[in-house]
Structure formats: C-alpha cells, structure tokens
Amino acid sequence: MLRSRLLAALVLTPLLAGCFASKGGGSEEGGDGRSGSRLRVALAFPPAERLSPYGADATILSRLGVAEGLTAMDANGAAAPALAQSWRREDARTWVFTLREARFQDGTDVTASAVAGALTHATEAEPEPAALSGVDLTAEADGSRAVTVRTAEPDPVLPLRLSSPGLAVFSGKAYDADGRVDPVGTATGPFELTEVDGTSSAALDRFDDYWGGRAQASGIDARFIADGTARANALRTGEVDIAEAVPVAQAATLDRETRRDTATTRTTSLLLNSASGPFADPELRAAARAAVDTSALAEGVYEGYADPGAGVYGPAVTWAEGKRVEPAGRAEAGRAKGTSITLATYDNRPELPEAAQVLKQQLEKAGFRVKLRIREYSRLEPDALDGKFDAFVLARNTLVDTGDPVAVLASDYTCDGGYNIAQLCDKDIDRAVAEAERTADPGERQDAAMAAEAAVLGSDAVVPLVHQRIITGVGTSVRGVLLDPHERTLVGTGTRR
C-alpha cells in the first residue's frame, strides 16, 4: 500500500511543475524591492464565502496574518492582548477594552468608533458568526481609545470570545450596505491582502505599519489547493514553502525534516440528521453509532496520526479526559432493515473520503444501504447546513471559534446554533449548554461543558470518530511557522525563508 502511494505521488509530480510560480519572485529581495523573500503557501480550503470573516473563511484570514480582533488566544487557551492592550470588567454584563495605537491597512487609524462599528456589523451578519451563537452583544465607543461591550446576559469569557477569527476588526470602508465585508486592504494584520483570484489564489504584501512590528517576509503568494497529494508534491519539489494539512497517506513522501505533526483540538465526527429522514428515529441513530469501529479509522485511515474518538473534545484538550461524564439516556439500537441513507463528506481533507468509505462498509454491514456523496467543501456546506444529507463526516476544531469549550456546543448542537449540521434540537441539551454558558469559574465551566457534552453524546446525533494530529509540510529553509493546535495561525511576523 505504501509503495503504491509513493508511486502515485511521483507520477503526479510533472503535472504540478509551474503551478506555483511566485507573483512576487523568490529571491532574497521581494518583488517590490524590499528585503525578505516572499513566502509560497499552499492552503487546503478555497474560500467558501468570498473571504467573508463571518464563516469558515475567517480562519484563512487569520492563518495568513491578514486579520485580527481585539484579543488573541495564547498557547494556554486564554485571552491575550491584540488590538486591545487591556480590558476590565465593570459589571456582570459590561466590559471596557482599551485600544493600542494601531492602523488599518488603508492608512486610517484604529479608533474606538471603527472597532465598535466592526463589532456591530458582526452582530448583524447573516448567518451570525459562530462565536456569537446565543450571545446578544452591543458595542459603543467611549472616547477615542476605549470600547464598551455589553451583553444581554453575563458572559464571563467575553475577552476570549472576541479573539475569534470571525470577530476580526476591519476599517469602515470594508463594509457595504448589503452586509458584505471586503478584507482586501482593510484589515490590521502584518500582511495585507492585495489580490484574490476567485478560489484559486491570493497575493499579500507586508504591511509595514503593523503595530506588532515589521514582518520578515515581504509578502505571501497563497494557493488554494483542495487536492492533498498536490499540496504534498508542491512542497516536496520546492514549488511551495509551506503546505498545510498534508494527508497522512502522503507523509512518507516528505523528508522527515519537512514533516511537522501537531496535536490539535480537531475532532472528526459522524453527524446524523436528527430532524428529518431516517435518523430522526433515535433507535436508528443508536444503530449507526453501534456500527462504527473508531479504532479501524484511527489505525487504518489515519495511520496512527489520530486517536479513537472519545467525545467532542480530544486529548489535545488536556483537562477533558479527567472530567468526562458517561452519556446517559441513549436509545436502544434498532435494526436498519435496508434503510437507505445518504452519507456526505468533502475532499479538502483527503482522509475524510477514505474514512467515509470505511464508514459506508461498517454501516452496510449493520443493514443500512448507503449512498456516498463527496464534493469540495465550499460546494457542500450550504446543503449540509440545510439538512439535505442524512449523515455527514466533519473534521471540526472544537476550540477554533472562541477557545471556549462551551461555544462549539452552542453553535453545533443547540436549537439556535449557527453550525448545527446534525439539525439537533433538544430542550435538555439546550438547558445543559445554557447552564455551562452561565458558569464563570474556569474549572466549574469545564465541568459544566463536560456535562453538556454527555447530553449531546446521549442523543447519538454525533458519533466522535477520531481526534487527529495535523501534518504541516515546511521547507527546510523556512523558519518561524506557527504550528497552532487551535489552527488559527500559520504565518506571522517571524515566518521567513
């Protein structure tokens, strides 16, 4: 099997030559004459929403160093200063953020009114950013350097919530009357987006007035390449400097010194449509859950770069294992009796189609008849959110939206959740999630999150499959790549070649 994969990679190599030519040149002097080579980066996910910060594209903007919010998330998962240099809590529902001196990439100053306007636009977005799921928030300027943020209900993790890539701050010119956001030249990060070629590529230049210091690379030439083999080959042949999400099947084609694997907070799950179709029946959901062998996926499909699914949160969420609560109230598994279902997934993460094929076999062995649908993510997401599939295989970073463990439960598994692919709506689950959201003490909040996780798992609307490590390909001349378990960052001021 390994030999055949290596041969397949070598056969594809000639087809890739010339596909990743740098727009700015690759010399030690950037194409604009300034010092520092341009970085060539291969990303797995083409923009699904024209680089809107309010959906999945937000992480593209944060990973490329384009956009940022009032706060950032540090290595321990806590809120850290970004555009806000400090903050204080005035009462249970009111926070005041003091801004640092910073400039937008269009040359205007980052002011309190601009920040308040950006946050207000986010609250009005449709669909709402996942970080605001269940949160009623208002923002207003308090002079030129302070922003007051109020929530309808107490929100003890608001500073962490504001670190979400979906709540990035842009200058006023980015927003149009229809609610769309144009991130080209309007953000605040170390790299300025200058050109976007649909879903194929983007060009970025260094933003010299970045408050955090001048980036060492003069720019970035990014390519959106859904095919994982192509990403790995581009790195191996020197056509790109960084390739994200290298498929496990391609890891052996890379030299050891160019392979970096990182434990992440990403969980791959089987989501079952609990609102309509066959899996509206809890006994059939239980039958599907009982049919799944997660160890076969972890060792077979992921070749040891993953752990069998234990829950919504995996080993990279280090506190979760000791607090996990056994799911209760699960239905007895029924009999499939030839029930026909449609199982969908996407090929941007190459392991997912293979995992779906294994799941198809396991479910068919249990008596289901399975139709498999595989498409590129941006073409699949609208149908998935509309509940047009019976089952969906999703790789989801459980802490990417806010860093708060409760947020993913609210957005993915509650009646009003904005990313509820499982179409789950259960009053007991909503009650457990709401209780966790109200809990301020960090340890007690973790306990409440695990109780809510148990309620979600008890519904059998989600079957955790694996907790994966992500493989990043990094050229030997590259330094300073940001290997982030939360998958929010990739390129920063110190990334260079």
Side-chain angles (χ1 to χ4, degrees):
M1 176 67 73
L2 178 59
R3 185 172 181 269
S4 66
R5 285 170 172 166
L6 287 167
L7 288 173
L10 292 171
V11 167
L12 283 172
T13 299
L15 303 177
L16 294 164
C19 291
F20 303 93
S22 171
K23 294 184 179 181
S27 68
E28 286 306 308
E29 186 171 69
D32 56 4
R34 294 177 294 180
S35 61
S37 297
R38 293 179 68 84
L39 294 166
R40 301 162 299 169
V41 180
L43 300 180
F45 288 86
E49 298 147 337
R50 293 188 288 184
L51 288 177
S52 167
Y54 299 143
D57 292 355
T59 54
I60 296 176
L61 298 175
S62 68
R63 287 173 69 75
L64 289 176
V66 175
E68 58 193 350
L70 282 176
T71 61
M73 183 164 57
D74 68 16
N76 297 317
L83 292 177
Q85 62 184 5
S86 64
W87 53 87
R88 68 181 187 276
R89 193 175 191 179
E90 290 203 330
D91 58 47
R93 296 178 177 82
T94 307
W95 297 75
V96 177
F97 294 82
T98 301
L99 304 180
R100 68 172 72 251
E101 296 286 339
R103 294 179 72 81
F104 289 110
Q105 293 161 352
D106 62 8
T108 60
D109 290 335
V110 175
T111 63
S113 60
V115 172
L119 292 176
T120 299
H121 281 294
T123 66
E124 297 169 347
E126 294 182 3
E128 67 181 4
L132 292 181
S133 179
V135 177
D136 185 2
L137 175 151
T138 61
E140 62 182 23
D142 182 6
S144 62
R145 309 306 311 159
V147 178
T148 299
V149 180
R150 295 183 175 88
T151 54
E153 300 294 333
D155 186 3
V157 296
L158 182 67
L160 189 58
R161 186 182 304 282
L162 292 176
S163 74
S164 169
L167 299 180
V169 173
F170 300 87
S171 70
K173 67 179 289 186
Y175 304 95
D176 70 15
D178 295 324
R180 289 188 292 267
V181 185
D182 182 1
V184 176
T186 60
T188 61
F191 293 99
E192 177 183 352
L193 193 63
T194 59
E195 181 182 347
V196 180
D197 184 7
T199 59
S200 62
S201 67
L204 304 88
D205 288 340
R206 175 171 53 209
F207 176 47
D208 287 338
D209 285 338
Y210 179 55
W211 63 264
R214 191 168 180 262
Q216 296 187 32
S218 63
I220 300 171
D221 294 308
R223 299 290 185 269
F224 304 110
I225 308 169
D227 184 86
T229 300
R231 289 196 303 277
N233 279 339
L235 180 86
R236 188 173 56 80
T237 59
E239 297 292 335
V240 300
D241 305 306
I242 304 168
E244 71 168 3
V246 172
V248 295
Q250 297 300 318
T253 71
L254 301 181
D255 293 336
R256 181 178 297 275
E257 60 267 28
T258 65
R259 280 197 319 263
R260 314 285 175 82
D261 65 279
T262 309
T264 72
T265 54
R266 180 171 297 279
T267 296
T268 298
S269 300
L270 174 64
L271 301 174
L272 304 177
N273 186 340
S274 60
S276 62
F279 291 127
D281 181 349
E283 293 186 358
L284 285 183
R285 295 201 300 272
R289 183 250 308 160
V292 174
D293 177 3
T294 59
S295 62
L297 295 166
E299 295 302 321
V301 175
Y302 288 85
E303 300 183 13
Y305 284 100
D307 299 301
V312 173
Y313 314 103
V317 186
T318 54
W319 51 263
E321 184 59 34
K323 294 175 177 284
R324 183 155 280 123
V325 178
E326 190 69 22
R330 278 176 162 161
E332 292 291 329
R335 297 182 61 187
K337 298 180 181 179
T339 299
S340 180
I341 61 172
T342 300
L343 171 64
T345 194
Y346 46 101
D347 54 11
N348 305 75
R349 297 187 182 276
E351 297 83 13
L352 296 186
E354 189 175 349
Q357 288 284 359
V358 173
L359 287 172
K360 180 177 185 291
Q361 295 169 9
Q362 294 179 350
L363 291 167
E364 287 177 340
K365 186 176 180 180
F368 292 95
R369 289 187 298 149
V370 183
K371 300 175 184 177
L372 196 56
R373 299 285 184 268
I374 299 173
R375 299 201 295 266
E376 196 272 323
Y377 180 81
S378 63
R379 298 175 53 224
L380 205 64
E381 183 188 64
D383 287 345
L385 291 173
D386 287 342
K388 294 184 178 179
F389 306 114
D390 300 311
F392 193 86
V393 181
L394 176 75
R396 175 81 156 123
N397 194 315
T398 58
L399 299 184
V400 71
D401 291 326
T402 65
D404 172 31
V406 183
V408 72
L409 301 178
S411 66
D412 291 21
Y413 305 115
T414 62
C415 295
D416 295 328
Y419 199 66
N420 190 351
I421 292 176
Q423 311 297 309
L424 184 59
C425 188
D426 181 291
K427 291 182 179 179
D428 290 337
I429 292 172
D430 277 17
R431 191 177 302 114
V433 172
E435 177 62 29
E437 288 178 321
R438 288 192 294 268
T439 305
D441 177 81
E444 293 177 1
R445 192 177 182 88
Q446 292 170 359
D447 293 336
M450 298 312 292
E453 180 205 55
V456 169
L457 296 177
S459 73
D460 284 329
V462 54
V463 182
L465 301 175
V466 295
H467 308 292
Q468 69 185 90
R469 302 179 70 84
I470 193 165
I471 305 170
T472 306
V474 181
T476 55
S477 64
V478 177
R479 301 290 183 270
V481 174
L482 305 177
L483 301 176
D484 175 16
H486 303 103
E487 299 181 84
R488 290 181 171 189
T489 59
L490 181 66
V491 176
T493 56
T495 312
R496 66 194 185 281
R497 68 179 175 95

